[in-house]
C-alpha cells in the first residue's frame, strides 16, 4: 500500500469516510449533511489520499465503526492509528480515551487526573476537540464538567455528541440552564 487512501462507507447515521496510510488509520470523518461535503472534508484534510479499495485491516475498522453506529458493540482496540503528526500529549489522551467502555462517560478533569496531569484539563479538552479518529477514539464519551455534551470535533460532521452518546446508551445532561452557565464564573458571595 503506497501513499494514502480513503473510502466512503455506509452507516446507520449516514455515509462516513476513513483515510489511511502505510502506518494505519489517519482519520475518520462522520457524515456531513451531504456525501459530497464528507468527501470534500476528507480531501481538505488528506489531499494526497486517493479513493481506493481498503485493505483487510481497514475493512475491519469500517465494519467495527458501522456496528457501533448501529448501536452494537465492537472492539476497535486492535485498529492501528497513524499518530505520526499528533502531539505526544494528545496521543496519551487518545490512548486513554480508547479504554472508556461503551455507555460510560468521563469528564475532562477525570481524564486529566487519570493521565497524571490534573492541571491539564484545558489541554485534554483541546486534544478531544482535535480528535481525527472519530469512533475509534470515542471522544464523544468525554464531557464537560457537569456531564454536559459539548460540541464535537470538526471530524464529527453534522453529528452531535448527544446523538453518539444516545447510540452508545449513555446518559447526559442535555441542556444547560442560565444558572449552570453563570455559577462557575460568578464570584462567591460574602457571608455575613
Amino acid at each position: 500500500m503506497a501513499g494514502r487512501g480513503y473510502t466512503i462507507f455506509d452507516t446507520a447515521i449516514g455515509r462516513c469516510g476513513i483515510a489511511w496510510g502505510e502506518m494505519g488509520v489517519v482519520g475518520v470523518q462522520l457524515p456531513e449533511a451531504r456525501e459530497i461535503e464528507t468527501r470534500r472534508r476528507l480531501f481538505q484534510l488528506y489531499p494526497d489520499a486517493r479513493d481506493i479499495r481498503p485493505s483487510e485491516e481497514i475493512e475491519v475498522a469500517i465494519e467495527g465503526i458501522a456496528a457501533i453506529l448501529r448501536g452494537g458493540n465492537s472492539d476497535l482496540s486492535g485498529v492501528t492509528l497513524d499518530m505520526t503528526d499528533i502531539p505526544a500529549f494528545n496521543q496519551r489522551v487518545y490512548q486513554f480515551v480508547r479504554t472508556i467502555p461503551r455507555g460510560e462517560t468521563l469528564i475532562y478533569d477525570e481524564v486529566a487526573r487519570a493521565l497524571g496531569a490534573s492541571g491539564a484539563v484545558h489541554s485534554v479538552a483541546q486534544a478531544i476537540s482535535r480528535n481525527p479518529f472519530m469512533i475509534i477514539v470515542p471522544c464523544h464519551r468525554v464531557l464537560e464538567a457537569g456531564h454536559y455534551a459539548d460540541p464535537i470535533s470538526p471530524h464529527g460532521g453534522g453529528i452531535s455528541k448527544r446523538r453518539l452518546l444516545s447510540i452508545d446508551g449513555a446518559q447526559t445532561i442535555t441542556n444547560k440552564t442560565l444558572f449552570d452557565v453563570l455559577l462557575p464564573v460568578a464570584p462567591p458571595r460574602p457571608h455575613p
Side-chain angles (χ1 to χ4, degrees):
M1 170 172 55
R4 286 186 174 171
Y6 81 91
T7 194
I8 302 292
F9 59 97
D10 289 316
T11 71
I13 63 169
R15 297 196 35 91
C16 294
I18 188 168
W20 64 91
E22 294 177 13
M23 296 176 62
V25 173
V26 293
V28 175
Q29 178 65 45
L30 295 184
E32 295 286 348
R34 298 177 315 173
E35 179 182 334
I36 190 71
E37 293 166 359
T38 304
R39 286 182 182 277
R40 185 176 303 125
R41 172 72 70 146
L42 282 170
F43 179 73
Q44 289 170 346
L45 295 168
Y46 314 105
D48 59 333
R50 295 184 344 260
D51 188 356
I52 59 175
R53 183 179 189 94
S55 67
E56 191 173 311
E57 181 182 0
I58 299 303
E59 282 290 348
V60 168
I62 289 170
E63 290 168 13
I65 292 167
I68 288 170
L69 293 175
R70 277 192 310 271
N73 203 1
S74 185
D75 181 9
L76 297 175
S77 64
V79 175
T80 303
L81 303 178
D82 179 352
M83 293 202 207
T84 304
D85 297 328
I86 306 289
F89 183 79
N90 293 19
Q91 289 182 33
R92 289 181 53 214
V93 171
Y94 300 156
Q95 289 164 353
F96 178 78
V97 170
R98 288 182 86 178
T99 68
I100 302 172
R102 180 177 181 267
E104 294 184 24
T105 60
L106 295 175
I107 59 173
Y108 296 126
D109 182 56
E110 291 169 322
V111 173
R113 280 188 277 127
L115 294 173
S118 59
V121 174
H122 181 73
S123 296
V124 168
Q126 290 296 308
I128 294 298
S129 73
R130 293 183 175 112
N131 173 24
F133 310 107
M134 298 301 300
I135 307 304
I136 298 172
V137 173
C139 63
H140 60 280
R141 296 177 185 160
V142 183
L143 307 173
E144 285 185 32
H147 292 273
Y148 293 103
D150 54 330
I152 201 163
S153 150
H155 300 276
I159 307 303
S160 69
K161 266 192 182 185
R162 251 184 276 164
R163 182 159 180 207
L164 292 175
L165 289 167
S166 174
I167 291 168
D168 263 5
Q171 298 294 317
T172 65
I173 298 172
T174 56
N175 294 315
K176 289 184 183 182
T177 65
L178 184 58
F179 180 76
D180 296 322
V181 172
L182 295 178
L183 184 62
V185 295
R189 292 185 179 201
H191 293 290

